[in-house]
Amino acid sequence: MTVHATIAAKGLLIHGDYVPARSGRYFETTDPATGALIAHIAEADAHDVDVAVASARAAFEGEWGAMPGKMRGQLLHRLADLIERDADNLVTLESRDSGKPVASILRQDLPAVLDTLRYYAGMADKIDGQVIPTRPEALTYTVREAVGVVAAIVPWNFPLMIGMWKIAPALACGCSVVLKPAELTSLTALRIGELALEAGFPPGALNVVPGFGQIAGQALVDHPDVDKVTFTGSPAVGRGILEGAAGNFKRVTLELGGKSANIVFPDADVSAAVRAAASGIFFNSGQVCSAGSRVLAHADIYDEVVDGLAARAAKVRLGCPQDEATQMGPVVSGGQMDRVLDYIRIGRDEGARLVAGGARHGQQGAFIEPTVFADVTPDMRIAQEEIFGPVVSVIRFSSEEEALEIANGTAFSLAAGVWSADISRVHRFARRLKAGTVWVNTFGPTDIRLPWGGARDSGFGREHGRAALENFTEEKSVWINVT
Ligand code: NAD
C-alpha cells in the first residue's frame, strides 16, 4: 500500500498556536520512498527563534515554571495517552516523512516514545535534593532547580524517539523547550507539539520551530536567553554548537556519531552473532548512531561470518515503508543516498571485497541494497568514517589484543558489541572497550532506564535514566543559620 496524500501546510508552533514564519517562507518535505511532496512547512529564521525563546522564557517564569512536579507528571502521562490514541496516524506520518518501515516504528520507536514519557512522568515529582549535615549551628541542604529554557535539536533518523528522549526529561524537570526538528523530518515533532497543547501543557512550555540547521538551529545555539542545548547529530555540527554555546556559557549535551565494532570470537554462538550483526547494520537502513558498521571476526570463523552476512543481506525485504512486510525502507533522502553510494565507491577503490549489494535498489526512491564489504582493513575510510547507511565492513583479527586495538582505533566511542562464551574475556572487553555502551552476546538494545551516550567524537553527557535529570537541573546549596 502506498500513501500519496499531501497534507495541509504547517506553520511554526509557538506559544500555543500555529504561526507563519515572519519571512513567509516555506520548505518542502517529501516521501523518500517515492519523492512525492508530503507538505510545505514554515521555515523559522532568527526572528522566529527569538519569538519562540521569549515564549519559552515567559512560560518558565510563569504558569509552567510554577507548576508542581506532580502536575507536570500528570501532563506527561496525558501526553502519552494522546500519543497512544493517535498512534496509527503518528506512525504513518513518521514512516512517510522518514522512510522508516511502519513495522519497525511499531516495534521500536512507538513503544520507546511511550516508555520514555511514562518513565519521566513518574520522575517529575521525585526531583529532590539532600540534607547534608555540615555544622551543628546550620541546616544545610540542596535542591535541584530546572535550568530554564532548553533548545532541543534533533536529527532525522529517529525523529519521534530522539525528540522524546529530550523533551520528556526536560519537561519533567520543569524546563521549557524549543524543539528544532531536522529539516527532513518535522511532521511528527509538530504533531507532538499539538498533542502537548491538547494534553494541557501551557503555551510556551513546548514550542516547535522547524527550519534549517544553519539558520534556525544556529539561532537557537547563539541565543543569549537559551540556558541549555541538548543536541543529537553529526560531530561536525556538534563542534560548532560548542563554540556557539560559549557565548553565554550554555550547558551542552552532545550525542554524536559512531563507528561501532561488533566483535565475534570463535567460541561464540556464531549464527546468533551473524543474525544480530545483520540487524545491527541493516535496521533503519543503517541510519543508527550505534549501528554495528564494523564487524570484527576472528580468522577461524571469518569466512562463516562473511558468508552469513552476505546471505542475510540478500534476504532483506526492501520495499514501501508503509507495507507491514517491509524490513528495510529507503534512506532518508536522495542526498543521503548519494553520500552512501559514494562510500560504496570509496570501499571498492580502497580494495575491499564487495560480497553483497553495492548499488541503488530500483529506479524510484532513495533505496540502497544491503551491502557487505569483506577484507576490510582498519585503515580504510569505510572502516573509519561514519557512513550512516546499510553498509557493513567485515575486518579480520587473530588475537584479543588485535581485536581491542582495532575496535578502539577510530575517533568514536559510542557503543560496541562482543560475542564470546568466555566469561573472563567478556569482562575484559567490557572494561577495555572505549564505548559508552558495551553489549555482550547481543547487539543494539537500549532502555530509557539505562544511561546512553559517548565520548570523543561521539560527544559527551548522558541521556536516559536519572542522568538526564541532571542535564536539565542545577543543584543549589542552601545554608540556614539556626543559632
Ligand atoms: P546533523 O548534525 O546534520 O543535523 C542534526 C540537527 O542539527 C538537525 O536538526 C539540523 O538541522 C541541526 N543543525 C545543523 N546545522 C546546525 C547548526 N549550525 N546549528 C544548530 N543546529 C544545526 O545530523 P543529521 O544528518 O541530521 O543526523 C545524522 C547524525 O546524527 C549522524 O552523525 C549520527 O551518528 C548522529 N546521531 C547520533 C545519535 C546518538 O545518540 N549519539 C543518535 C542519532 C543520530
Side-chain angles (χ1 to χ4, degrees):
M1 176 202 54
T2 313
V3 188
H4 285 301
T6 305
I7 59 178
K10 292 282 179 191
L12 312 171
L13 200 52
I14 299 180
H15 215 68
D17 266 320
Y18 270 122
V19 293
R22 190 181 68 159
S23 67
R25 279 215 291 270
Y26 286 82
F27 63 98
E28 290 185 350
T29 191
T30 55
D31 181 338
T34 61
L37 174 74
I38 308 176
H40 288 98
I41 299 174
E43 182 201 324
D45 65 12
H47 169 83
D48 304 301
V49 163
D50 205 33
V51 176
V53 171
S55 153
R57 175 61 59 191
F60 183 70
E61 304 294 347
E63 182 189 352
W64 174 242
M67 191 179 283
K70 180 179 166 183
M71 283 178 67
R72 295 198 303 269
Q74 286 166 349
L75 290 180
L76 287 165
H77 273 304
R78 176 92 184 106
L79 177 56
D81 294 342
L82 296 177
I83 289 174
E84 281 182 303
R85 183 197 70 188
D86 286 3
D88 287 351
N89 173 282
L90 275 165
V91 168
T92 306
L93 206 55
E94 184 87 326
S95 173
R96 289 186 66 201
D97 209 10
S98 66
K100 295 163 78 75
V102 287
S104 63
I105 303 175
L106 285 167
R107 197 176 56 246
Q108 178 174 351
D109 306 48
L110 183 67
V113 162
L114 295 169
D115 197 26
T116 300
L117 265 171
R118 297 210 189 275
Y119 174 78
Y120 286 110
M123 289 279 189
D125 60 355
K126 299 173 191 68
I127 300 166
D128 44 26
Q130 310 174 58
V131 175
I132 302 174
T134 52
R135 297 185 192 173
E137 73 280 9
L139 170 62
T140 38
Y141 63 90
T142 63
V143 286
R144 295 209 77 96
E145 297 178 337
V147 295
V149 175
V150 171
I153 303 178
V154 301
W156 41 257
N157 58 340
F158 293 90
L160 266 177
M161 189 179 81
I162 293 180
M164 201 52 75
W165 287 355
K166 300 181 183 313
I167 298 169
L171 293 174
C173 290
C175 295
S176 50
V177 179
V178 181
L179 172 63
K180 213 298 281 167
E183 43 272 48
L184 293 169
T185 53
S186 307
L187 290 172
T188 50
L190 288 165
R191 189 69 195 122
I192 293 293
E194 289 172 24
L195 292 178
L197 290 167
E198 185 182 341
F201 283 87
L206 173 62
N207 295 318
V208 187
V209 289
F212 292 93
Q214 284 168 359
I215 302 170
Q218 191 68 47
L220 273 170
V221 171
D222 293 340
H223 202 290
D225 209 23
V226 168
D227 300 294
K228 156 97 192 176
V229 179
T230 170
F231 171 78
T232 298
S234 57
V237 174
R239 204 164 277 123
I241 284 179
L242 269 187
E243 286 162 19
N248 64 334
F249 297 104
K250 288 179 188 67
R251 299 165 51 129
V252 177
T253 306
L254 298 178
E255 303 283 356
L256 309 176
K259 191 74 190 174
S260 299
N262 198 0
I263 309 159
V264 189
F265 283 92
D267 61 2
D269 177 343
V270 176
S271 66
V274 168
R275 195 166 57 241
S279 68
I281 184 63
F282 300 137
F283 170 65
N284 210 38
S285 306
Q287 302 166 121
V288 181
C289 51
S290 54
S293 51
R294 294 183 299 153
V295 171
L296 278 49
H298 188 276
D300 292 353
I301 49 155
Y302 187 80
D303 292 340
E304 186 183 348
V305 170
V306 169
D307 294 347
L309 278 170
R312 289 201 161 263
K315 280 201 205 127
V316 174
R317 284 193 302 275
L318 274 88
C320 170
Q322 287 83 51
D323 180 341
E324 294 210 4
T326 293
Q327 292 173 317
M328 205 174 102
V331 294
V332 74
S333 65
Q336 183 67 8
M337 178 176 73
D338 293 344
R339 191 172 165 267
V340 175
L341 291 174
D342 203 39
Y343 268 112
I344 292 173
R345 181 193 55 73
I346 290 168
R348 281 190 161 125
D349 291 351
E350 287 179 311
R353 178 164 57 98
L354 187 67
V355 292
R360 182 179 181 185
H361 169 85
Q363 293 307 310
Q364 190 197 37
F367 291 88
I368 299 174
E369 293 172 350
T371 296
V372 181
F373 276 114
D375 299 344
V376 177
T377 54
D379 55 318
M380 290 181 183
R381 285 184 63 192
I382 58 165
Q384 288 290 328
E385 298 175 21
E386 185 177 45
I387 298 174
F388 228 55
V391 181
V392 64
S393 297
V394 194
I395 304 172
R396 188 189 309 260
F397 69 88
S398 302
S399 69
E400 237 185 72
E401 276 309 310
E402 190 189 2
L404 265 170
E405 194 183 319
I406 298 170
N408 289 338
T410 72
F412 299 101
S413 292
L414 185 61
V418 57
W419 294 80
S420 170
D422 179 337
I423 184 104
S424 300
R425 174 186 282 153
V426 299
H427 281 292
R428 281 196 295 277
F429 270 74
R431 202 166 52 222
R432 295 182 63 195
L433 281 167
K434 288 187 191 166
T437 295
V438 175
W439 290 295
V440 176
N441 294 330
T442 184
F443 194 89
T446 58
D447 191 290
I448 197 61
R449 288 149 201 84
L450 199 63
W452 176 254
R456 306 191 299 142
D457 280 20
S458 298
F460 57 78
R462 291 292 177 268
E463 297 195 289
H464 297 189
R466 289 171 190 275
L469 302 179
E470 289 170 21
N471 291 337
F472 299 111
T473 54
E474 202 72 77
E475 196 164 31
K476 177 184 276 177
S477 296
V478 180
W479 183 301
I480 299 179
N481 191 352
V482 291
T483 55

